[in-house]
């Protein structure tokens, strides 16, 4: 096997989200599961298990206040003891009653102040954990035409982003995530990549766009967005998950592995896979009915498989076909790579690294699930929204 391919796969990094280890559901029902973490420490412990088994998930994203603790140096240290690090800090300005009409775009200056203060607090958390990235997603928007001034809300957003941006340290970054709709249904203040891009351009080089793959209208060509932002040096991160209908938050690569391959092809062809390219590859998903840890492992493997296929594309043959206008030939080069079964290659790679070739099976054999189911009794389980 080509060393460039295996080296790239060995160096790949995928961050898992602390909230994916907690209970989650829809607005109809949250189904609880035995063994689910009750605090940030137990979430970090689970994330460390995913890394130990896959070898490519060495960091866990935190969500504040879901992962609130008194001293954030402690989870950072605990993560290191477990063999991982604390990654991106996600701000949460979408769950207080005050935010009914928006957070940083709220017509009430006192609510805007509260929301911006929370974002600044998240930068303090980053200082304590050593995190590089602050990920911002705003549920802000309106439900009815005329409810508020669309333009004024953009001004308020820009003001808050500027204040937080100016508070960032030299090595810290802001990731601005967009989402088409929900919970606001008429206008969303950061609905698409263009809006995020425009704000990031205005802010400066430490602000970049986060693409959550579940946040687009059906049929959106996400790889085009990836290519555009890469060229503009404004792609900072992914929140991977998959969707059939809206923001379903299903396992990355489950609904449309071909889309994930096409995205990873843009990444690989722009030489943006390695950590020093500055793109954070994160999962942002919920496991409502399936067991959480094996689902997260499965998702990591799905991203790895899509990446391996993208790395196997015969770039010379592709360039030749593109140059000579061989439409079918070029497409065939991509399809050949996509059709390749990369699982044996990844199994070998894991064995070489001293890992079990089948991380899901290794998890089931490890006894960890039984251990958390019997050990984590009492207390309140962590859940989406708490
Ligand atoms: C919003 O739908 C989102 O994708 C943001 O990233 C939030 O932080 C996350 O989901 C919460 O699960
Ligand atoms: Mn997201």
């Amino acid at each position: 096997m080509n060393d460039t391919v295996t080296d790239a796969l060995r160096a790949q990094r995928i961050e898992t989200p602390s909230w994916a280890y907690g209970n989650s559901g829809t607005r109809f029902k949250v189904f609880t599961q035995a063994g689910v973490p009750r605090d940030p420490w137990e979430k970090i412990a689970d994330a460390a298990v995913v890394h130990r088994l896959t070898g490519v998930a060495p960091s866990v994203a935190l969500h504040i206040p879901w992962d609130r603790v008194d001293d954030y140096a402690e989870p950072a240290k605990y993560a290191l003891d477990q063999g991982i690090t604390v990654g991106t800090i996600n701000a949460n300005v979408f769950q207080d009653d005050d935010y009914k009409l928006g957070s940083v775009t709220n017509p009430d200056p006192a609510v805007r102040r509260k929301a911006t203060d929370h974002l600044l607090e998240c930068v303090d958390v980053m200082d304590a954990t050593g995190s590089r990235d602050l990920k911002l997603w705003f549920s802000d928007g309106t439900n009815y035409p005329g409810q508020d001034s669309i333009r004024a809300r953009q001004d308020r957003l820009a003001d808050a982003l500027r204040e937080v941006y100016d508070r960032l340290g030299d090595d810290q970054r802001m990731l601005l995530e967009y989402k088409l709709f929900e919970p606001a249904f008429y206008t969303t203040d950061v609905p698409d990549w263009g809006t995020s891009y425009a704000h990031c351009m205005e802010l400066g080089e430490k602000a970049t766009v986060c693409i959550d793959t579940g946040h687009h209208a059906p049929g959106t060509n996400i790889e085009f967005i990836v290519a555009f932002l890469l060229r503009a040096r404004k792609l900072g991160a992914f929140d991977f998950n998959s969707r059939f209908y809206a923001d379903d938050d299903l396992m990355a690569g489950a609904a449309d592995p071909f889309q994930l391959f096409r995205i990873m092809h843009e990444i690989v062809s722009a030489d943006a896979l390695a950590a020093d390219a500055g793109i954070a590859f994160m999962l942002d998903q919920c496991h409502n009915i399936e067991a959480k840890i094996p689902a997260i492992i499965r998702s990591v493997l799905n991203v790895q498989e899509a990446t391996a296929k993208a790395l196997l594309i015969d770039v010379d043959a592709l360039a030749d076909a593109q140059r000579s206008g061989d439409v079918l030939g070029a497409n065939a080069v991509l399809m050949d790579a996509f059709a390749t079964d990369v699982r044996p290659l990844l199994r070998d790679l894991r064995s070489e690294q001293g890992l079990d070739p089948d991380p899901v099976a290794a998890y089931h054999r490890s006894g960890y699930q039984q251990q958390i189911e019997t050990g984590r009794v009492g207390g309140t389980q962590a859940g989406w929204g708490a």
Side-chain angles (χ1 to χ4, degrees), residues 10 21 28 32 34 39 59 66 69 77-78 129-130 142 146 188 229 251 258 315 322 359 366:
R10 252 186 241 111
Y21 299 94
F28 301 103
T32 57
D39 54 38
S59 60
W66 298 342
V69 294
K77 176 167 185 317
Y78 180 70
T129 54
T142 64
T188 297
L229 291 175
M251 294 189 296
F258 186 41
V315 287
Q322 290 177 344
S366 70

Side-chain angles (χ1 to χ4, degrees), residues 70-382:
D70 291 337
D71 175 2
Y72 287 93
E74 287 180 16
K77 176 167 185 317
Y78 180 70
L80 281 181
D81 292 345
Q82 297 281 314
I84 60 172
T85 57
V86 169
T88 301
I89 299 302
N90 289 255
N92 184 328
V93 282
F94 49 85
Q95 285 189 309
D96 289 5
D97 285 340
D98 283 340
Y99 299 143
K100 188 168 75 173
L101 299 180
S103 63
V104 294
T105 66
N106 196 296
D108 179 346
V111 178
R112 297 205 293 276
R113 186 68 259 150
K114 171 181 161 168
T116 307
D117 283 345
H118 171 69
L119 306 185
L120 295 169
E121 178 203 350
C122 285
V123 185
D124 294 340
V125 173
M126 293 162 72
D127 290 341
T129 54
S131 300
R132 178 189 61 177
D133 292 341
L134 171 68
K135 175 139 65 74
L136 304 181
W137 173 72
F138 299 103
S139 62
D140 297 38
T142 64
N143 271 7
Y144 294 100
Q147 180 188 320
D148 197 4
S149 158
I150 297 172
R151 214 149 33 87
R153 294 177 77 91
Q154 286 301 312
D155 288 341
R156 297 170 199 149
L157 172 67
D159 287 349
L161 291 176
R162 168 57 60 198
E163 189 177 339
V164 178
Y165 184 91
D166 287 346
R167 160 73 182 82
L168 294 174
D170 290 345
D171 298 325
Q172 293 174 333
R173 311 190 308 174
M174 174 188 284
L175 305 172
L176 182 57
E177 184 175 350
Y178 58 91
K179 177 171 164 176
L180 180 61
F181 83 108
E182 195 207 20
F185 294 128
Y186 168 55
T187 58
T188 297
D189 294 323
V190 190
D192 52 29
W193 70 269
T195 310
S196 174
Y197 173 71
H199 280 283
C200 289
M201 287 298 285
E202 214 172 287
L203 287 165
E205 62 179 21
K206 287 188 270 183
T208 52
V209 180
C210 172
I211 299 179
D212 183 312
T213 49
H215 287 185
H216 306 86
T220 300
N221 183 330
I222 300 176
E223 58 271 26
F224 172 82
I225 302 170
V226 174
F228 184 97
L229 291 175
L230 279 169
R231 179 175 176 277
R233 311 186 73 76
K234 277 293 177 195
L235 178 59
F238 285 96
D239 269 3
F240 284 131
N241 53 60
S242 57
R243 72 194 287 278
F244 287 106
Y245 301 105
D247 188 21
D248 306 343
D249 277 340
L250 298 173
M251 294 189 296
D256 189 350
F258 186 41
Q259 179 187 65
L260 191 52
F261 162 78
R262 299 191 312 259
I263 290 172
M264 294 316 296
H265 166 51
E266 292 306 324
I267 293 290
V268 168
S269 62
D271 205 10
L273 184 62
D276 59 11
I279 307 209
F281 299 92
M282 302 178 281
L283 303 179
D284 176 12
Q285 15 182 87
C286 294
H287 307 290
N288 301 348
I289 58 168
E290 67 275 26
K292 292 160 197 311
I293 298 174
I296 295 166
I297 295 173
R298 178 75 261 160
S299 309
V300 168
L301 304 189
N302 287 349
V303 177
Q304 248 190 329
E305 285 171 22
T307 308
K309 290 176 185 212
L311 287 162
L312 287 179
I313 291 171
D314 183 339
V315 287
D316 295 333
L318 183 62
D320 281 350
Q322 290 177 344
R323 250 193 314 271
S324 60
D326 181 0
V327 176
L328 289 179
N331 178 244
V333 172
L334 246 72
M335 297 315 290
D336 279 348
F338 181 63
T340 309
D341 184 357
V342 294
R343 290 171 300 178
L345 152 71
L346 287 165
R347 280 197 289 268
D348 289 350
L349 197 68
R350 287 184 200 112
S351 299
E352 257 176 46
Q353 293 173 289
L355 300 168
D356 191 292
D358 182 345
V360 174
Y363 177 72
H364 290 308
R365 275 198 317 272
S366 70
Y368 188 77
Q369 187 66 35
Q370 291 78 357
Q371 184 191 315
I372 57 179
E373 285 185 18
T374 52
R376 294 176 183 172
V377 290
T380 310
Q381 290 186 317

